[in-house]
Amino acid sequence: MSHSNYYDVTTWPVGNPSEDIGEVINSIIADIKDRQTATDENDGGKPGAVIYLPPGDYHLRTQVLIDISFLRIQGSGHGFTSSSIRFNVPKDEWAGLHELWPGGSRVIVDLPPGAAGDSTGAAFLIEREGSPRISSVEFSNFCIDGLHFIPDGSELPAENSYVNGKTGIYVASANDSFRINGMGFIYLENALTIHKADALSIHDNFIAECGSCIELRGWGQASKITDNLIGAGFKGHSIYAENHGGLLITANNIFPRGASSIHFDGVTRSSVSNNRLHSFYPGMVILAGNSSENLVATNHFLRDHEPWTPFLGVDNGRNDLFGLLRVSGNNNSVIGNHFSEVLDARGVRPTGAAPVIVRLVEGAGNFVSNNHVVALDVRAESSDSCFAAQVDALLTTGASDGLAVTTVLVESGSARNTILDSGNDAQVIADRRANAVRATPTISFEPEGAVRSGQTVEIPR
Amino acid sequence: MSHSNYYDVTTWPVGNPSEDIGEVINSIIADIKDRQTATDENDGGKPGAVIYLPPGDYHLRTQVLIDISFLRIQGSGHGFTSSSIRFNVPKDEWAGLHELWPGGSRVIVDLPPGAAGDSTGAAFLIEREGSPRISSVEFSNFCIDGLHFIPDGSELPAENSYVNGKTGIYVASANDSFRINGMGFIYLENALTIHKADALSIHDNFIAECGSCIELRGWGQASKITDNLIGAGFKGHSIYAENHGGLLITANNIFPRGASSIHFDGVTRSSVSNNRLHSFYPGMVILAGNSSENLVATNHFLRDHEPWTPFLGVDNGRNDLFGLLRVSGNNNSVIGNHFSEVLDARGVRPTGAAPVIVRLVEGAGNFVSNNHVVALDVRAESSDSCFAAQVDALLTTGASDGLAVTTVLVESGSARNTILDSGNDAQVIADRRANAVRATPTISFEPEGAVRSGQTVEIPR
Amino acid sequence: MSHSNYYDVTTWPVGNPSEDIGEVINSIIADIKDRQTATDENDGGKPGAVIYLPPGDYHLRTQVLIDISFLRIQGSGHGFTSSSIRFNVPKDEWAGLHELWPGGSRVIVDLPPGAAGDSTGAAFLIEREGSPRISSVEFSNFCIDGLHFIPDGSELPAENSYVNGKTGIYVASANDSFRINGMGFIYLENALTIHKADALSIHDNFIAECGSCIELRGWGQASKITDNLIGAGFKGHSIYAENHGGLLITANNIFPRGASSIHFDGVTRSSVSNNRLHSFYPGMVILAGNSSENLVATNHFLRDHEPWTPFLGVDNGRNDLFGLLRVSGNNNSVIGNHFSEVLDARGVRPTGAAPVIVRLVEGAGNFVSNNHVVALDVRAESSDSCFAAQVDALLTTGASDGLAVTTVLVESGSARNTILDSGNDAQVIADRRANAVRATPTISFEPEGAVRSGQTVEIPR
């Protein structure tokens, strides 16, 4: 059916998609280009195509190079299952497992490792110079699986290293209106690395057990990362962006481990709102490199401890004074967030310190208002069962005690900030001569004209 | 085309999909399993499959049992049309109707009724014990229609009872990375019942005219319910969750009736943010059973009266003191919500009471800040036309009067809460010795140094 | 395969889809209706169908008329590329361009121009009277391209006029549960015009370089506009709604130009939350015509200057006192938004004025709380390169100075509003006898019992 611009990798005459889907797709792209020689100034000529991957296992031994606009590659299943859990099951129990690997429309990346972060180990490389920027390339509803991690020189088992030099999708050139929807990414050192994006949409994907999940590099604007399930490894970022403006990150459920859940470097006028963020380490959201005029609002931050035995003792190297949210920049807004810091006080580092929730490091004019910090001291427990341990930890609230924290710490390098209703007077450490602070009222708060101490409260039933 | 793991129910040789699509799909699943005998420790073996339902009516007389991962069942149309409106059209007018039933890729559930909430009346049952948990089952873009409701012993017509013992999708076993996208559910007593979910995504569905819409049972974590249109019957929940942590409920438009829009039981560290919620009764959002550290933020709550004649007099049995948002738990955040309470004062129960908007029943440490309550007394009107009545009620704001309400009521069982800017001093009923309260300033509010009464305001044009 | 209710336009025997896809689709719809003569009171009869457009260029010379429910029209590519940038590239450079036109599954609208806003120039017209309302029509993942704009009588080049009398999809009749997902719209004077919508979903589309993008007309309820990339022309609206209740607009990234990003007329009990909004002119969000009880929360507003040479000097005719957010209505909530006003002070109009951010014009009872306004004076620069100019402007924050603004202006026609923490005392212009105002504390703010001036701040490392 190539005449209709619809291609099925299992019926294409060149190559064997089970053995090397890269060869098959490159051959299809060559065919599309052969048939798109027309350049029509009146109305058309190069509509692109769709390439379909039915459910199945497809080894990729040749990198796919995409240099045409309007190409959609789609499957019928994001195919996630946890490889991390399985690799930590004793091997003599594998015979009893229902299945061993991810599935769906699954591309197995069988490339030699590239250098971390470069394009050589990428399953899909999108690169085209010249004008216009390559546009409307779409990836939809299939799985990219890096298969194995490799030793990183530490004591960790190889499959827990989050290192393998493989990338799922690497966009090297300036691009416009790309879409990544409904995909699954697993066991890749980098799931998605995209340079110079304009109006990019990364929506409703499942990106987990990858070293880093989403990296927006170079510069870019007006993009969105929405409604994804994301969780990076302990060395990487769930979401990283540099020099982006107008980026919207919302409605994501970002789970551990992730050295950072979201890390901005030089990002301006962007939003991180309405996400659920969970981490085992400090430094969950970092606004670095003069990231300014961003809105961090109505997110749920939870930082608790690692509950799964294979990763006990692993962390991102930051102590509890680093801040769950750390800001180096100007005029950012931090409004209406909930922070839960749920720690075993015995494990706080430096020992005996009061952990910091929001830390303003450099800059001026930030507005931190109406944030609610909950800090609890709970006895850390762990388990060999990943799911049970996580759920158990998540649901533990009952017998916990309060934990002393600094809700907002303003360093001398950051000034003229406004801190409102984000911690009581003792919890906000800031020079009141350099910053405007209104502490959250405590029970003894009694403004004139509103004193009602001793009031008898009638409770209707 | 079974060799490519793509199945079309209309071309499968076993069974007749119009007569019993359950038999057809079970036969296809058996075929998939027959072909997945390989267990390959190196890289693969069980990729799953996709089963396609073209638009059409498919009776389901045999329950589908799914016990393999990576199965995607997809159609080409969610097919919703209102059966509730049609069943309330006089029967002698049916001949003039363009169509009588839902459509799209439509599965008609012809099973005998199960007991409410169990799996026997479920069209699709997902159940598999052992390890790993069943993963990445996906349902996409088809319709599950329960066809009729049955008498419930009350005076209501059978088709208005929301009872029939049928369930659309019932997941009995622990599961991972499931996706429910673009589906339609209608006239089922339970649309979706999912136990023990991890990283579940319920996104962009249309779930309406069902007894209960989404129920997450047992326990679970790190899931999302996003961007759905949802509306349960007067006996059930639009969304119910128990013992979940890290659940993200956002960007949903939840309309009446629903005994509750969202009901949490023992849910922790989860988010209900940025939803539009509309109900005809109190108890719109309930955090019960020690639900703690949740964020309820920037939602729009509207409670008004039932405008459609067939349901006049039906309600959920709660009076106006129950609270639109009711909290039994600790350390929750209620920030930046808008509440509209639009009632006919003559209908308030108990007669003459001031309705309660936020009610803290048990627990401690909740933070209720920056919520705006609008309360209006409007003359209730109703109509035989469902759509016209609802729109008319929604747009009625003009000639209304204020209605006295309690914006926040803190019972003696809940203490050490912080209530800021969520009602004036008279509207917040709380023991000020046990809770920190800052009332929303009223016009006479004149803090020192900010008095500008009498200021002449120059209005630029 | 018509027997299975699946149609492919490239294999349908009537008409030529490349020459006139309108004729082909109308012929398919006639076939569907011929086959749907059954009216079955028991359970079914008219399931609808799906019509598939593979990637390709399809001229539309006959308007498609849809008058059946449960019709899904789907393609395999939204196909956006910027026509606006290309039309502003000198023609002698076109030969060096990779492609000249949008692509994907692309419908090229070759109709004679209609009157602006009417249905005559619409590619797809949905119209059916009688009962029930037409339901569950779905458009998915294809491109509708209006191809050219035409002269508008001004000095602007024709292709920059945003005028051509063409509409993408026009829904004339009351409708229920429609879905518009994953579509691309480009170079249409009106992309989507939908009357009388109930439970409509407009989700995850790319709607840009159109005169107006989304218009909800007549009246309607309980709909959602979510997770779209949207940007209208300088004459139109990115989103317009009139007489809607319960509308949810969230998670959209709305970029320039757009005379307004969002314009409500008589809209009630609706939400504009969590969007990223960027404009080059005042009047970004307008609540007009007694729009009441709406929630505008946690949005990021950025207004800066036009950076692209071809549109220098073009604006929407409003001066800087108009307000970025302008409210005529009652009881609205404006909570937790970030506003960045980044202007070249030399270009402010009227000269020397303090630009207005939030302006309450008429009504009462609005609640404006916890909004953060950042105002900067930067030297405006422009460039021939659209992308580079925009990114450059977006990332410019460093050397800027503050700009004096009025953060909230309350006119005498609006009273009994509450303005909290949304500007310091000098920035909020309001009659304190008629409105409750609590200014954002400034550094000298020293409430009793909280004075800590002179405190030594110890910064943990």
Side-chain angles (χ1 to χ4, degrees):
Chain A
M1 287 208 289
S2 71
H3 64 284
S4 79
N5 296 320
Y6 179 102
Y7 297 80
D8 181 325
V9 293
T10 64
T11 59
W12 184 246
V14 178
N16 177 337
S18 301
E19 293 302 313
D20 186 6
I21 195 170
E23 180 191 2
V24 173
I25 293 177
N26 283 338
S27 164
I28 292 172
I29 291 172
D31 185 69
I32 297 167
K33 291 163 77 170
D34 282 349
R35 298 167 43 246
Q36 287 190 339
T37 50
T39 298
D40 184 337
E41 286 197 12
N42 291 321
D43 56 21
K46 296 183 175 177
V50 57
I51 300 175
Y52 177 55
L53 286 64
D57 282 343
Y58 304 100
H59 286 266
L60 183 145
R61 297 190 162 95
T62 305
Q63 185 179 65
V64 172
L65 174 62
I66 298 175
D67 59 357
I68 55 171
S69 293
F70 320 126
L71 183 69
R72 178 180 173 90
I73 303 181
Q74 71 178 37
S76 295
H78 79 292
F80 183 84
T81 198
S82 175
S83 284
S84 182
I85 293 174
R86 200 260 300 177
F87 282 124
N88 286 287
V89 168
K91 200 157 181 177
D92 58 8
E93 297 176 15
W94 289 13
L97 299 178
H98 291 294
E99 61 253 342
L100 297 177
W101 296 98
S105 296
R106 174 174 173 238
V107 172
I108 301 164
V109 185
D110 269 337
L111 297 173
D118 83 354
S119 67
T120 57
F124 295 86
L125 171 62
I126 295 91
E127 186 161 30
R128 185 180 81 177
E129 298 308 316
S131 290
R133 294 167 291 163
I134 187 167
S135 301
S136 288
V137 174
E138 303 186 36
F139 293 87
S140 176
N141 207 39
F142 67 95
C143 179
I144 306 180
D145 180 8
L147 211 57
H148 292 284
F149 290 131
I150 61 177
D152 66 351
S154 78
E155 295 177 3
L156 279 177
E159 296 291 5
N160 292 350
S161 75
Y162 290 96
V163 170
N164 64 10
K166 297 177 183 179
T167 296
I169 298 173
Y170 189 101
V171 185
S173 313
N175 57 87
D176 193 15
S177 56
F178 274 33
R179 299 180 62 181
I180 317 285
N181 269 45
M183 296 286 293
F185 297 85
I186 182 168
Y187 261 60
L188 299 156
E189 186 166 341
N190 292 276
L192 272 165
T193 302
I194 303 182
H195 291 75
K196 305 173 192 168
D198 190 3
L200 165 70
S201 174
I202 299 177
H203 175 67
D204 197 20
N205 300 284
F206 200 106
I207 314 178
E209 302 184 359
C210 291
S212 282
C213 294
I214 300 172
E215 298 196 314
L216 304 187
R217 297 204 166 268
W219 61 83
Q221 69 165 355
S223 294
K224 66 184 168 85
I225 299 174
T226 58
D227 221 317
N228 299 285
L229 293 159
I230 311 177
F234 64 94
K235 296 175 181 171
H237 313 292
S238 287
I239 298 175
Y240 173 86
E242 62 188 9
N243 306 322
H244 262 253
L247 176 62
L248 175 62
I249 299 179
T250 190
N252 298 289
N253 195 328
I254 305 183
F255 32 84
R257 310 205 149 65
S260 292
S261 302
I262 301 175
H263 188 130
F264 279 177
D265 191 354
V267 170
T268 62
R269 296 157 188 154
S270 293
S271 281
V272 176
S273 54
N274 202 37
N275 300 284
R276 183 256 167 171
L277 308 168
H278 181 195
S279 174
F280 299 145
Y281 328 125
M284 296 179 66
V285 175
I286 298 177
L287 308 186
N290 197 27
S291 288
S292 296
E293 296 174 57
N294 300 294
L295 173 63
V296 179
T298 60
N299 299 288
H300 192 291
F301 290 74
L302 167 63
R303 187 259 159 138
D304 57 6
H305 64 275
E306 171 70 65
W308 195 32
T309 307
F311 285 94
L312 286 183
V314 173
D315 65 25
N316 65 359
R318 295 170 186 147
N319 72 27
D320 292 302
L321 299 173
F322 188 87
L324 297 189
L325 168 62
R326 186 178 171 99
V327 178
S328 294
N330 304 305
N331 299 319
N332 297 287
S333 299
V334 179
I335 301 175
N337 299 285
H338 176 105
F339 295 87
S340 279
E341 175 97 323
V342 182
L343 300 178
D344 188 327
R346 300 168 304 173
V348 168
R349 295 291 172 271
T351 301
V356 173
I357 306 304
V358 178
R359 183 166 178 160
L360 307 185
V361 178
E362 296 175 303
N366 298 292
F367 181 81
V368 178
S369 180
N370 217 18
N371 299 285
H372 182 212
V373 174
V374 177
L376 302 175
D377 176 12
V378 299
R379 191 56 56 109
E381 303 196 16
S382 64
S383 160
D384 286 342
S385 167
C386 180
F387 180 47
Q390 289 198 5
V391 173
D392 200 51
L394 268 173
L395 298 180
T396 298
T397 65
S400 50
D401 294 320
L403 178 74
V405 293
T406 299
T407 60
V408 183
L409 168 63
V410 184
E411 295 196 45
S412 56
S414 188
R416 299 191 304 285
N417 303 291
T418 303
I419 319 291
L420 307 179
D421 301 330
S422 296
N424 65 40
D425 196 54
Q427 291 173 320
V428 178
I429 299 183
D431 184 342
R432 267 70 172 168
R433 295 165 304 188
N435 300 280
V437 176
R438 185 176 70 218
T440 307
T442 54
I443 292 175
S444 61
F445 178 76
E446 296 183 2
E448 303 83 282
V451 180
R452 295 174 33 146
S453 292
Q455 176 192 31
T456 299
V457 178
E458 296 176 34
I459 305 297
R461 296 286 165 183
Chain B
M1 286 206 289
S2 71
H3 63 286
S4 79
N5 297 320
Y6 179 100
Y7 297 81
D8 181 325
V9 293
T10 65
T11 60
W12 184 246
V14 178
N16 177 336
S18 300
E19 293 302 313
D20 186 8
I21 195 170
E23 181 192 0
V24 172
I25 293 176
N26 283 338
S27 164
I28 291 171
I29 292 172
D31 185 70
I32 297 166
K33 292 162 77 171
D34 283 347
R35 296 168 45 245
Q36 288 191 337
T37 51
T39 299
D40 184 338
E41 287 197 12
N42 291 320
D43 57 19
K46 297 185 174 176
V50 57
I51 300 175
Y52 176 55
L53 287 61
D57 282 341
Y58 304 100
H59 287 266
L60 183 145
R61 298 190 162 95
T62 304
Q63 185 179 66
V64 173
L65 174 63
I66 298 176
D67 58 358
I68 56 171
S69 293
F70 320 126
L71 183 69
R72 179 180 171 90
I73 303 181
Q74 71 178 37
S76 294
H78 79 293
F80 183 84
T81 197
S82 175
S83 284
S84 181
I85 293 175
R86 200 261 297 178
F87 281 125
N88 286 287
V89 168
K91 200 157 181 178
D92 59 8
E93 295 176 16
W94 289 13
L97 298 178
H98 291 294
E99 62 253 342
L100 296 177
W101 297 98
S105 297
R106 175 175 172 239
V107 172
I108 301 164
V109 185
D110 270 337
L111 297 174
D118 82 356
S119 66
T120 56
F124 295 86
L125 172 62
I126 295 91
E127 186 161 29
R128 186 180 81 176
E129 297 309 317
S131 291
R133 294 167 291 162
I134 188 167
S135 301
S136 290
V137 174
E138 303 186 35
F139 293 87
S140 176
N141 207 37
F142 67 94
C143 179
I144 306 180
D145 178 10
L147 210 59
H148 292 283
F149 290 131
I150 61 178
D152 66 352
S154 78
E155 294 177 2
L156 279 176
E159 297 289 7
N160 292 350
S161 75
Y162 289 96
V163 170
N164 63 10
K166 298 178 183 178
T167 296
I169 297 173
Y170 189 102
V171 185
S173 313
N175 58 88
D176 192 15
S177 56
F178 274 33
R179 301 180 61 182
I180 317 284
N181 268 45
M183 296 286 293
F185 297 85
I186 182 168
Y187 260 62
L188 299 156
E189 185 166 342
N190 292 276
L192 272 167
T193 302
I194 302 181
H195 292 74
K196 304 173 192 166
D198 191 3
L200 166 71
S201 173
I202 299 178
H203 176 66
D204 197 20
N205 300 286
F206 199 107
I207 314 178
E209 303 184 358
C210 291
S212 282
C213 293
I214 299 172
E215 297 195 316
L216 304 187
R217 296 203 167 266
W219 61 82
Q221 69 166 352
S223 294
K224 63 184 171 83
I225 300 174
T226 58
D227 221 318
N228 300 284
L229 293 160
I230 310 177
F234 64 95
K235 295 175 182 171
H237 313 292
S238 286
I239 298 175
Y240 173 87
E242 61 188 10
N243 305 321
H244 262 254
L247 176 62
L248 174 62
I249 299 179
T250 189
N252 299 288
N253 195 327
I254 304 183
F255 33 83
R257 316 205 145 62
S260 291
S261 301
I262 301 175
H263 187 130
F264 279 176
D265 191 355
V267 169
T268 62
R269 296 158 187 154
S270 293
S271 282
V272 176
S273 55
N274 203 34
N275 300 284
R276 183 256 168 171
L277 308 168
H278 181 195
S279 173
F280 299 145
Y281 327 125
M284 295 178 66
V285 174
I286 297 177
L287 309 186
N290 196 28
S291 287
S292 295
E293 295 174 56
N294 300 293
L295 172 63
V296 178
T298 58
N299 299 288
H300 192 290
F301 289 74
L302 167 63
R303 187 256 160 139
D304 58 5
H305 64 275
E306 170 71 66
W308 195 32
T309 306
F311 284 93
L312 286 182
V314 172
D315 64 28
N316 65 358
R318 295 170 187 148
N319 73 27
D320 292 302
L321 300 174
F322 188 87
L324 296 190
L325 169 61
R326 184 177 174 101
V327 177
S328 295
N330 304 305
N331 298 320
N332 297 287
S333 299
V334 178
I335 302 175
N337 300 285
H338 176 105
F339 295 88
S340 279
E341 174 97 324
V342 182
L343 300 178
D344 187 326
R346 299 168 306 172
V348 168
R349 296 291 171 272
T351 302
V356 174
I357 305 306
V358 178
R359 181 165 178 161
L360 307 186
V361 178
E362 296 175 302
N366 298 292
F367 182 80
V368 179
S369 179
N370 217 16
N371 299 285
H372 182 211
V373 174
V374 176
L376 301 176
D377 177 13
V378 299
R379 191 56 57 110
E381 303 197 15
S382 64
S383 160
D384 287 341
S385 166
C386 180
F387 180 48
Q390 289 198 6
V391 173
D392 200 51
L394 268 172
L395 298 180
T396 297
T397 65
S400 50
D401 293 320
L403 178 75
V405 293
T406 299
T407 59
V408 183
L409 169 62
V410 184
E411 294 197 46
S412 55
S414 187
R416 299 190 305 283
N417 303 290
T418 304
I419 318 292
L420 308 179
D421 302 329
S422 295
N424 65 40
D425 195 55
Q427 290 173 321
V428 179
I429 299 183
D431 184 342
R432 267 69 173 170
R433 294 165 304 186
N435 301 279
V437 176
R438 184 176 71 218
T440 307
T442 53
I443 293 175
S444 60
F445 178 77
E446 293 182 4
E448 302 82 65
V451 180
R452 296 176 28 149
S453 292
Q455 176 193 31
T456 299
V457 179
E458 295 177 33
I459 306 296
R461 295 289 164 180
Chain C
M1 286 208 288
S2 73
H3 65 285
S4 79
N5 298 319
Y6 179 100
Y7 297 82
D8 180 327
V9 295
T10 64
T11 59
W12 185 246
V14 178
N16 177 337
S18 301
E19 292 302 312
D20 185 9
I21 196 171
E23 180 191 1
V24 172
I25 293 176
N26 282 338
S27 164
I28 291 172
I29 292 172
D31 185 69
I32 297 166
K33 291 163 75 170
D34 282 348
R35 298 168 44 246
Q36 285 190 339
T37 50
T39 299
D40 184 337
E41 287 196 12
N42 291 320
D43 56 21
K46 296 183 174 176
V50 57
I51 300 175
Y52 177 55
L53 286 63
D57 283 341
Y58 304 100
H59 286 266
L60 183 146
R61 297 190 163 96
T62 304
Q63 185 180 66
V64 172
L65 174 62
I66 297 175
D67 59 357
I68 56 171
S69 293
F70 320 126
L71 183 69
R72 178 178 172 91
I73 303 180
Q74 72 179 38
S76 294
H78 79 293
F80 183 84
T81 199
S82 176
S83 283
S84 182
I85 294 174
R86 199 262 298 178
F87 282 124
N88 286 286
V89 168
K91 199 156 182 178
D92 58 9
E93 297 176 13
W94 289 13
L97 299 177
H98 291 293
E99 61 252 343
L100 297 178
W101 297 98
S105 297
R106 174 174 173 239
V107 172
I108 302 164
V109 186
D110 269 337
L111 297 173
D118 82 356
S119 67
T120 57
F124 294 87
L125 171 62
I126 294 93
E127 186 160 31
R128 186 179 80 176
E129 298 308 317
S131 291
R133 294 167 291 161
I134 188 167
S135 300
S136 288
V137 173
E138 302 185 36
F139 293 86
S140 176
N141 206 38
F142 68 94
C143 179
I144 306 180
D145 179 8
L147 211 59
H148 292 283
F149 291 130
I150 60 178
D152 67 352
S154 78
E155 293 177 4
L156 280 175
E159 297 291 5
N160 293 350
S161 75
Y162 289 96
V163 170
N164 64 11
K166 297 178 184 179
T167 296
I169 297 172
Y170 189 103
V171 185
S173 313
N175 57 88
D176 192 14
S177 57
F178 274 34
R179 300 180 60 181
I180 317 285
N181 269 44
M183 295 286 295
F185 297 85
I186 182 169
Y187 261 62
L188 299 156
E189 185 166 342
N190 292 276
L192 273 165
T193 302
I194 301 181
H195 292 75
K196 304 174 193 168
D198 190 3
L200 166 71
S201 174
I202 300 177
H203 176 67
D204 197 20
N205 300 285
F206 200 106
I207 315 178
E209 303 185 357
C210 290
S212 282
C213 293
I214 299 172
E215 298 196 315
L216 304 188
R217 296 206 167 264
W219 61 83
Q221 70 166 352
S223 294
K224 64 183 169 83
I225 300 174
T226 57
D227 222 317
N228 299 284
L229 293 160
I230 310 176
F234 65 94
K235 294 176 181 172
H237 313 292
S238 286
I239 298 175
Y240 173 87
E242 61 188 10
N243 306 321
H244 262 254
L247 177 62
L248 175 62
I249 299 178
T250 190
N252 298 289
N253 196 328
I254 305 182
F255 33 84
R257 315 210 142 62
S260 293
S261 301
I262 301 174
H263 187 131
F264 280 177
D265 192 355
V267 170
T268 63
R269 298 158 185 154
S270 294
S271 281
V272 175
S273 54
N274 203 35
N275 300 284
R276 183 256 168 172
L277 309 168
H278 181 196
S279 174
F280 299 145
Y281 328 125
M284 295 178 66
V285 175
I286 297 177
L287 309 186
N290 197 28
S291 288
S292 296
E293 295 174 57
N294 300 293
L295 173 63
V296 179
T298 58
N299 299 287
H300 191 290
F301 290 75
L302 167 62
R303 187 257 159 138
D304 58 5
H305 64 274
E306 171 70 65
W308 194 32
T309 307
F311 284 93
L312 286 182
V314 172
D315 64 27
N316 66 359
R318 295 171 187 147
N319 73 28
D320 292 302
L321 299 173
F322 188 86
L324 295 190
L325 168 61
R326 186 177 172 101
V327 178
S328 296
N330 304 305
N331 299 319
N332 297 287
S333 299
V334 178
I335 301 175
N337 298 285
H338 176 104
F339 294 88
S340 279
E341 175 97 324
V342 182
L343 299 178
D344 188 327
R346 301 168 304 173
V348 169
R349 295 290 172 271
T351 302
V356 173
I357 305 304
V358 177
R359 182 165 180 161
L360 306 186
V361 178
E362 295 176 302
N366 298 291
F367 181 82
V368 178
S369 180
N370 217 17
N371 299 285
H372 183 211
V373 174
V374 177
L376 302 175
D377 176 13
V378 300
R379 191 57 56 110
E381 303 197 16
S382 64
S383 160
D384 286 341
S385 167
C386 180
F387 181 48
Q390 289 198 6
V391 173
D392 199 52
L394 269 172
L395 298 180
T396 298
T397 65
S400 49
D401 293 321
L403 179 74
V405 293
T406 298
T407 60
V408 183
L409 169 63
V410 184
E411 295 197 44
S412 56
S414 187
R416 299 189 305 284
N417 303 291
T418 304
I419 318 292
L420 307 179
D421 300 329
S422 296
N424 66 37
D425 195 55
Q427 290 173 321
V428 178
I429 299 183
D431 184 342
R432 268 70 172 170
R433 295 166 303 186
N435 301 280
V437 176
R438 184 176 70 217
T440 307
T442 53
I443 293 176
S444 61
F445 177 75
E446 296 183 2
E448 301 83 72
V451 179
R452 296 176 29 150
S453 292
Q455 175 192 32
T456 299
V457 178
E458 295 176 33
I459 305 295
R461 293 289 163 182

